[in-house]
Structure formats: structure tokens, C-alpha cells
Amino acid sequence: NEMNNLYEQAEYRELADFMPQTIFELDKELKLVYMNKTGMETFGLTEANYGESCLDSFMSDDRNRVNSNLNITMEGKRSKPMAEYVAKSRTGRTFPVLIYSTPVYKNGVAAGTRGIAIDISDRKATEQALLESELKYRTLIDKATDGILITQKGVFKFVNPAFCEM
């Protein structure tokens, strides 16, 4: 039975290492117990960092929120199903992450938390590019000297300033 448990643990660790997101486990003091390969690379950690506080991997402005939300999760209560923070790698890179976590129970007592951290740098860059594109489009339409309008079923839905002046 113990061999079977070791095999299952190895299988789960292999699966976790395959994931493109960071998979982690923290003890009750929020110290790192486990992190998959993706997480180790993303956060610039090694197994030598096991036992260190996870709070060191977040910007100082977010540490209190991380601490509070993970402790609430550990108590089995829901703070938020997910939360967004600014993390930092040991290499100095900062990046936005979403964290989903759930409590870990041992003998019916909360003993830590386990979860997923997702680097959302690409999504944030796409959102910023979209905002900039929308601003350029709006500026172009608002500054146009020709009247521009949009109607739906005979109802004006949009008119630019030049159309209003006409």
C-alpha cells in the first residue's frame, strides 16, 4: 500500500510538472512545501527555496493581500475564488498572476493551502493593446471632419461631433 502511495505521488508530480501553470503547496505558515517545474522557472526558485515564505515572491504592495487571502482560504472560508497580484521572480522580473487556492486538510485540520498561479502577462499586454487601439479609433472618429453615424432599425446609435455640427 505504501508503494502504491509513492507511485501515485510520483504520477501526480509528473502530471503537475507537465502543466504550463504554476502548481504549489504551502504549509500553515505560508512556507513553500512544493512547486512544479513551471513554477520554479517562473519564480526563479529551486528546491533549496522549500521552507521559505511565499510572500517573498510578491511585490511589497501585494504581500498583505496575499497573506490575508491565503490565510482565509486555509481556514476553509472563501475570500475570492481567485485574486490578481503582482509577483516577482528571483531574477527581478515582475509579472501579474492570478491565484486560485484551496485548503489542505490533514486529519481534519487545515494544514496549508494548495493552488495554481497563472502568469497573465500576455493577457495584460493584449488588454493594453486593445485599449490603445480603441483610444486611437475613438480619437480618429471624434476628430474626423466628415460626419459619421451608425443607425439600427432607424434609430441613431452613434454620431460623431462633425455630424452633430452638420
Side-chain angles (χ1 to χ4, degrees), residues 16-26 32 34-45 54-55 57-58 66 70 81-89 93 95-102 113-121 123:
D17 283 340
F18 176 73
M19 299 297 293
Q21 297 87 12
T22 296
I23 310 292
F24 65 88
E25 184 171 331
L26 307 171
L32 186 62
Y34 169 77
M35 187 174 277
N36 68 342
K37 287 181 183 176
T38 300
M40 294 291 200
E41 290 169 7
T42 301
F43 286 88
L45 303 174
C54 77
L55 299 178
S57 295
F58 295 91
V66 171
L70 289 176
M82 68 169 172
E84 185 178 317
Y85 308 99
V86 178
K88 66 176 182 174
S89 168
R93 174 181 168 254
F95 53 99
V97 293
L98 283 178
I99 295 182
Y100 298 82
S101 62
T102 187
T113 187
R114 195 177 278 146
I116 299 173
I118 303 169
D119 180 344
I120 56 171
S121 299
R123 186 187 92 187

Side-chain angles (χ1 to χ4, degrees), residues 26-27 29-33 45 48-56 90:
L26 307 171
D27 67 13
E29 287 78 39
L30 302 180
K31 293 181 180 174
L32 186 62
V33 172
L45 303 174
N49 297 110
Y50 284 177
E52 293 180 7
S53 172
C54 77
L55 299 178
D56 294 338
R90 297 293 166 99

Side-chain angles (χ1 to χ4, degrees), residues 137-138 141 147-160 163:
Y137 172 77
R138 182 168 306 281
I141 296 299
I148 300 172
L149 72 130
I150 298 173
T151 62
Q152 278 183 329
K153 297 180 183 178
V155 176
F156 288 110
K157 294 293 183 174
F158 171 83
V159 294
N160 72 338
F163 186 85

